[in-house]
Every structure is written in structure tokens, then in C-alpha cells.
Amino acid sequence: MLTPIKPLHCSSISRVLLLFSFDSFCSLSSSKPNHKFKFYSVAPQILTETNRWSSSNRASHGFYSSLLQDCVYQKAIKPGKQIHARLLQMGFGYDPILATKLVNLYAIYCDSLPFARKLFDKIPKRNIFLWNVLIRGYAWNGPLEEALNLYYDLLKLGLKPDNFTLPFVLKACSGLTAVKAGEEIHEHAIMIGWASDIFVGAALIDMYAKCGIVRKSREVFDSMHKRDVVVWNSMIAAYGQNGYPLGALNLCREMAASGVRMVTVATLVTILSASASHGAMGMGREIHGHAWRHGFDGQDKVRTALIDMYAKCGLVRVARRLFDGLSEKRVISWNAMIAGYGMHGHACEAMAMFDEMKKSAAEPDHVTFVGVLSACSHGGMINEGQGIYDSMTRDYGIEPRVEHYTCMISLLGHSGRLQEATDLILGMPVKPDSGIWGALLSSCKLHNNVVLGELALEKLIELEPDDAGNYVLLSNLYAQTGNWEGVAKMRLLMKEKGLKKSIACSWIEFKGKVHAFLAGDISHPKSDEIYMELETLGGLMKQLGYVVDTGSVFHDVEDDEKSSMVCSHSERLAIGFGLISTGLGSSLLVTKNLSVCNDCHTWIKFVSKIAEREIVVRDVNRYHHFKDGSCSCGDYW
Ligand code: ZN
Ligand code: ZN
């Protein structure tokens, strides 16, 4: 079925009106007012008329050319095909100008790409525009390799790519993360003098960023003499996508200072999501201010990115205020808010929000269900979760995807129903991925189930043999159950494979700067003061009954040593820094790349009570809100 196409623009309407100055127009216009014409609905009439015109030798090359141009403009593929058939009958089929327009039209849709290719192959004289059109078609719709193949064919024929060819083919490299090919094209672009062109430059920046080499993106950026807003945005996005929110923000400031009108929705959303993923709220707030000054804060996409940012930075209440202020609540906004509540363990709020959404005009989609199910999983709401999971397919016709299964595995697993979780995995119609087995392995660690834990690890090793985190999880499970032989076995396995435990890192933002800490770190300028603060806190805690729990220490070492290892875990250093740097009563937000260990969890509870602070710790799994000696997760993570 054809999708409706937007009403004809003026020139087309006048042209159609011109065409329909025959009987057919009268009958057509009497049934439908002409301003509501859809192109596809009038196309058959166009063809009738063209038949009549051509039979009386009045149809010209120019006439078909402009008609096809309209088809391209309207993306009207069906009329285009009918015109194509007509042209073939008339012997115009491979006329270079008309055929180029047809290829251009077909190359817009993936379904029609084979037509475009067939036609392309039959055109005897192909100019660079024609090549570009087809390369673009493949770069947009895939297979991406075809875009690269065409590029090499073009070079073999001795044709010179231009500043359209190169961005398209670089886009294909980005999609394939084919950095080698990308580098080759980069070299070629330098050779033929296109490397500092703004289109090519932006595409190179994007290609390197997508391949994870942000340093090369920056090199390209720095080498460009002229930069427009697109180039700046590409570089900002490069930082954002690769986890350098500070780089993104600094560049944003530079961009504003250089006089380029800074804001585009894309830039704002990029930096907001970079801030969100790094818990860099100060930065996020600055961008919020920026958005507000430039009048962008009311835009749906920006609003939703703001909701997501505040939620991820621990300010769910602010997120909610923004949500409530939305004039039109779209699915993405509901999803951001539901996920926000879920992450923070506010399962009831997430459920209430979901109920409200069901009553609204927005239809829940598969992302919504991921949000609600993960909220249930974080909140341990097993029955509710099961009910929602069942209703997803029954009432909304959404087939469960891997993400939904992951939520269910972790919901069942966390509740201790490990066998049921395993059965669900084994009965899945899709192949379980590492997320699924990872969820089972964490649950096994939570409930000390070595047998299923080993099964999960076996599968995980098949899927991602080089991820040290999996071995560490099982090793921790062995350590928890006092199985030091198992710990040694894991350590040996890791050594054999040359794997290192990923380094734990926690960070906290203070006055717009992100301060990062590793375990046992003494490199921070305020290190002495931080350790002093931790010692003072330690003393006070002991009086209140805190005892170091060394169970989660990976190594088989003496208790004394274990306790000193736990005591300098990275999140403690970040919290220590937060306490000495901020005023009494202000809350702290710490982000950690791994999960919080049992002992640190207890320790932070004590700190929240002693220092009378609200401490939010966002670890790899969820958010923990520590207040008055307890945590929002209810010790369930
Ligand atoms: Zn710890
Ligand atoms: Zn917690």
C-alpha cells in the first residue's frame, strides 16, 4: 500500500491543473477538491493524458523530465514506475537525463533499489551524479557494502569522486565501522583536494567517531579552515557518543564564542544525553539554560532529553515537573519518565505512570514495556511484572524481544526463582544474548547458586570470551561461598586468556568539573583530606556498630588486607571528596562503572546517617538513594 504523500506543492498543482484542462479534470474536480489531491491519486490521470499527448506527438523530453522531477520531489514511486513503463514503450527508457531521474527516484526506497541498479547498469554513459545517487541509495538503505563496491568501481573507471560521493561512501563506512576503508577514503580525499570540504569533513568526523577513534575526528576537525554548524555538531556528537561529555561541552562553548549560532536540537540532545550517561548534572543544567535562552526548551525532543538527563542524574522530581509541563505527551516522553522512575527503584510511581499512559492518547510501545518491566524488576514486584509481561502480547500485540526477556530473567532471578528463570531462557524463541545470561549470573551471585551460575558463565564465555567481568562475577560467587579453589581456577583462566578485571572507577561532578577516582587512588590533589575524612567517618561508624564485610573482595587474602582494600573502593573516595567539597546538607551524586559491593553499600548507609546527607549512587545496574541510614533499593540489587 502506498503511504499518503503530502499535498502537492504549488508548481506541481499548477502543472497538474494545466494537464487536467480536459474532460477528466472536470470529473475529478467535482468529486474531490483539488487542494486535497494526493499525487498518487491523480497519477493515473496524468498517464491517461500523457498517452493522449504522446499519441499526438506533443509529449516532449522536457515534459517527462519535469514530471519525473515531481515524482522525485514527492517520492511518488508508483507513478514513477508507470511513467517509466511509458518511456520504455516510447524508446526513451535509457535516455541519460530521464534515466538518471528514475534512478534517483528508485534509489530513495530500499524496495526499489534493485530497479535503480538494473537501470543504472543499462545506462551507457554514467556521470558522477548518477553514481552518487546510487551510492547514496545503498548508504541509506543498505547493503552498505554495495556503496563501497560502487565507489571502487567508480575509481577503476577513472572517474573522480566529488564532495557528494565521499560523504555517502563514508556514511557506509560508519555503518560498517569499516575504519580501514574509511582511512583509505580519507587519504584519497586529501589527494584529490576534498578533505577540508565541509560535507566531506563532517562525514570524516562522523566516520571516525562511529569507529570509536575520536582523536582522529578531532584531527580532521582541527585541519578544517572553514567550519559550519554541521561540522561543529558532528564533532560535538563525536565527543558525546564516545563518552566525553566534557569535550562536548567545551566545544559547545568554543562554538558559541566563534560566532557560529550554536544551538540545533541535535546538538542539545547529544550533549544532554552525554551529560545524562555521565551523571554530569552541572553540565546538563548549563545546557538546559542554553536551551532556554535560545527558546529550545519547549521542543519535544529537547524536553524529553532533559527529562532523561534529570532522571539519570538523580533528580526524578525535576524530571517529573518537566514532564508535567509538556503540552503534548508523546510516547518517547512517557517512556523517558517511566524508565526514570524504574531506574531509581520507584516501581510504584512507574506503574502509576504506566496506568496513566494507558488512559492517554499515547499507545505503549516495546520501549515502554522495557521501562515498566525493569521497574518491576528493580522493585521486586514479581506478580505485577508477570501480569504486565503477559498483557504485552495479549493486549498490545507486542512480541517479547530480548530486552523484555532480560527484564523477566532478572525479575525472576532476583526473587530467587532461578530455576524458573533458567527455564524461561531455555524456552526463548530468540537466541539468548549475553545480557540474558549476565542477568542470570548476577541473580545466581545474589542467591549463592553455584550450579546455575556455572551454567550461565559457560554460555557467557561462548558469547563474549574476552569479557573479564563475567569471570569476576563467578569468582565473586565462589568467594562468597568460600570456594577458594574456584576463585583460583577463575584467576588462572583469566590469566591464561590475558584478561584483566576491569578497573572500578567512580566519579562525581563538582563546579562543572568531573572528578574521577580509582580504587586506592591517591592521585587527587585533595587526596590527603579525603582519606582523613574517610578515617573520621570510619571511627564514628564503628561506634554505631559497623563491621567491615570483606566477603565481596575478589582475592584470597588475609582479612586485614581485605579490609583495607574494601576501605578504599572508588565510590568511597568520590563520596569523601563530595563531603569535604560541598556544604552541609547538600546531596551528592556519584556514578560508578561497576556495581557497588555489599560492604560499600552498608558503609554508604552509615555515611548518609552520620553526615546527614542524601547520597545517590548510580552503579552499573541501578540507582541507590541513601538517606537516614537506608537505601531506596531495599538492599535488593
Ligand atoms: Zn566496595
Ligand atoms: Zn542500594
Side-chain angles (χ1 to χ4, degrees):
M1 202 183 86
L2 269 174
T3 41
I5 291 149
K6 43 179 198 276
L8 296 176
H9 64 114
C10 282
S11 66
S12 301
I13 290 180
S14 50
R15 197 170 295 135
V16 171
L17 290 176
L18 202 78
L19 273 170
F20 285 94
S21 54
F22 301 98
D23 309 344
S24 57
F25 175 65
C26 306
S27 61
L28 199 77
S29 62
S30 62
S31 57
K32 284 178 189 170
N34 62 34
H35 66 273
K36 280 193 180 157
F37 283 169
K38 299 280 193 290
F39 194 85
Y40 61 83
S41 61
V42 294
Q45 270 71 21
I46 294 181
L47 287 166
T48 314
E49 296 316 326
T50 54
N51 286 340
R52 218 184 276 184
W53 280 27
S54 55
S55 61
S56 59
N57 290 326
R58 284 165 67 193
S60 70
H61 183 275
F63 164 75
Y64 283 113
S65 173
S66 66
L67 206 54
L68 281 173
Q69 192 55 44
D70 271 350
C71 290
V72 172
Y73 184 85
Q74 306 280 343
K75 297 183 179 158
I77 200 124
K78 201 172 169 187
K81 275 185 186 163
Q82 289 167 310
I83 294 167
H84 186 183
R86 182 82 202 116
L87 287 173
L88 284 171
Q89 275 175 4
M90 291 163 56
F92 275 171
Y94 304 111
D95 171 273
I97 294 174
L98 299 177
T100 301
K101 291 204 156 76
L102 279 166
V103 173
N104 198 2
L105 174 67
Y106 291 151
I108 301 172
Y109 294 97
C110 36
D111 291 348
S112 324
L113 254 175
F115 291 112
R117 184 55 189 260
K118 239 187 206 153
L119 194 53
F120 175 88
D121 287 339
K122 283 192 175 150
I123 299 172
K125 265 189 139 182
R126 291 172 292 202
N127 59 13
I128 191 69
F129 177 77
L130 194 60
W131 285 87
N132 287 348
V133 161
L134 199 61
I135 293 177
R136 181 193 60 188
Y138 285 117
W140 282 358
N141 303 308
L144 302 176
E145 292 85 352
E146 259 327 287
L148 276 169
N149 292 340
L150 275 174
Y151 177 75
Y152 294 128
D153 289 349
L154 175 161
L155 294 182
K156 266 186 231 148
L157 290 172
L159 279 162
K160 202 175 151 198
D162 64 10
N163 59 338
F164 288 94
T165 329
L166 294 166
F168 296 146
V169 73
L170 285 167
K171 183 178 161 53
C173 294
S174 301
L176 293 164
T177 55
V179 72
K180 275 248 147 38
E183 277 172 341
E184 236 173 72
I185 294 161
H186 187 182
E187 273 167 33
H188 193 204
I190 295 173
M191 237 159 58
I192 56 176
W194 279 122
S196 56
D197 172 83
I198 46 173
F199 294 112
V200 179
L204 281 167
I205 292 170
D206 181 63
M207 184 272 295
Y208 282 120
K210 295 259 164 61
C211 296
I213 318 175
V214 80
R215 175 182 51 80
K216 294 279 275 187
S217 300
R218 184 64 200 231
E219 270 173 36
V220 174
F221 179 81
D222 287 337
S223 72
M224 294 175 73
H225 313 294
K226 221 178 114 198
R227 297 166 189 150
D228 70 349
V229 72
V230 180
V231 173
W232 282 93
N233 277 326
S234 305
M235 193 58 227
I236 291 168
Y239 279 127
Q241 288 156 5
N242 283 281
Y244 298 102
L246 266 179
L249 191 77
N250 287 337
L251 202 65
C252 232
R253 292 184 187 128
E254 249 180 74
M255 180 180 174
S258 77
V260 178
R261 202 178 121 67
M262 178 221 150
V263 196
T264 66
V265 169
T267 325
L268 289 170
V269 172
T270 303
I271 310 178
L272 283 172
S273 73
S275 312
S277 62
H278 281 71
M281 189 167 54
M283 237 176 263
R285 274 208 177 121
E286 196 175 313
I287 296 301
H288 189 177
H290 218 104
W292 179 77
R293 282 193 295 279
H294 292 270
F296 279 93
D297 61 326
Q299 291 221 6
D300 263 1
K301 270 192 175 161
V302 175
R303 247 314 146 102
T304 305
L306 281 166
I307 292 171
D308 179 58
M309 185 273 294
Y310 281 112
K312 286 194 176 145
C313 288
L315 291 184
V316 202
R317 276 180 299 242
V318 179
R320 180 58 192 261
R321 260 209 306 281
L322 285 170
F323 177 83
D324 288 339
L326 282 171
S327 53
E328 192 194 341
K329 295 177 175 63
R330 295 182 187 223
V331 180
I332 49 166
S333 326
W334 286 99
N335 288 353
M337 204 55 233
I338 290 173
Y341 278 129
M343 279 181 269
H344 290 278
H346 303 313
C348 296
E349 282 88 343
M351 297 286 285
M353 188 111 262
F354 179 57
D355 286 336
E356 226 179 285
M357 179 184 186
K358 287 192 280 189
K359 285 180 218 145
S360 78
E363 173 95 351
D365 63 7
H366 71 278
V367 182
T368 319
F369 283 96
V370 174
V372 194
L373 288 173
S374 80
C376 292
S377 151
H378 284 321
M381 297 165 79
I382 180 96
N383 294 333
E384 291 83 348
Q386 189 74 58
I388 285 169
Y389 177 77
D390 294 340
S391 89
M392 181 171 83
T393 314
R394 191 189 55 224
D395 305 334
Y396 296 91
I398 300 172
E399 287 303 322
R401 301 184 183 194
V402 174
E403 302 92 306
H404 303 112
Y405 281 109
T406 312
C407 293
M408 284 311 286
I409 305 300
S410 99
L411 181 59
L412 290 165
H414 274 181
S415 326
R417 290 156 70 167
L418 293 168
Q419 194 52 53
E420 244 174 280
T422 314
D423 293 344
L424 182 59
I425 299 178
L426 298 176
M428 273 170 65
V430 277
K431 192 172 180 262
D433 67 357
S434 54
I436 297 260
W437 291 111
L440 183 67
L441 182 54
S442 332
S443 304
C444 290
K445 186 183 165 275
L446 193 70
H447 295 285
N448 293 335
N449 188 324
V450 176
V451 178
L452 290 176
E454 281 176 334
L455 168 77
L457 183 78
E458 200 183 293
K459 299 289 183 185
L460 275 168
I461 290 177
E462 272 171 34
L463 290 165
E464 37 185 46
D466 298 329
D467 190 330
N470 300 323
Y471 301 86
V472 174
L473 258 179
L474 188 63
S475 181
N476 286 348
L477 170 57
Y478 285 137
Q480 255 167 240
T481 51
N483 179 354
W484 300 114
E485 220 172 277
V487 174
K489 196 173 79 189
M490 282 300 108
R491 211 187 295 163
L492 192 70
L493 246 175
M494 284 175 72
K495 207 172 157 194
E496 276 172 13
K497 289 178 177 277
L499 301 175
K500 289 220 164 64
K501 188 177 168 181
S502 48
I503 297 169
C505 181
S506 296
W507 52 95
I508 181 167
E509 190 196 45
F510 176 61
K511 289 195 173 164
K513 195 170 174 269
V514 176
H515 298 255
F517 297 89
L518 303 177
D521 204 335
I522 47 165
S523 63
H524 195 273
K526 291 206 166 177
S527 210
D528 288 347
E529 286 172 66
I530 294 170
Y531 279 96
M532 227 142 62
E533 176 74 13
L534 296 188
E535 226 177 288
T536 317
L537 284 169
L540 292 168
M541 265 177 219
K542 264 193 193 135
Q543 290 171 20
L544 290 174
Y546 164 75
V547 185
V548 183
D549 163 19
T550 53
S552 38
V553 179
F554 170 52
H555 303 280
D556 176 17
V557 290
E558 291 307 313
D559 271 358
D560 266 6
E561 205 180 320
K562 275 188 203 172
S563 113
S564 72
M565 282 160 80
V566 180
C567 291
S568 56
H569 276 181
S570 62
E571 58 270 51
R572 299 194 186 197
L573 301 177
I575 289 172
F577 172 74
L579 290 174
I580 58 170
S581 311
T582 58
L584 284 178
S586 36
S587 57
L588 304 177
L589 169 68
V590 169
T591 312
K592 189 180 179 188
N593 67 337
L594 303 174
S595 61
V596 182
C597 77
N598 288 341
D599 187 56
C600 288
H601 197 264
T602 315
W603 184 86
I604 304 167
K605 283 201 244 174
F606 276 98
V607 175
S608 71
K609 195 171 176 70
I610 296 168
E612 294 177 11
R613 301 271 198 134
E614 200 175 327
I615 302 171
V616 181
V617 177
R618 172 179 160 193
D619 74 1
V620 70
N621 297 319
R622 59 168 301 141
Y623 286 78
H624 302 265
H625 288 250
F626 296 92
K627 204 180 166 189
D628 284 334
S630 63
C631 179
S632 63
C633 74
D635 300 334
Y636 183 88
W637 80 97

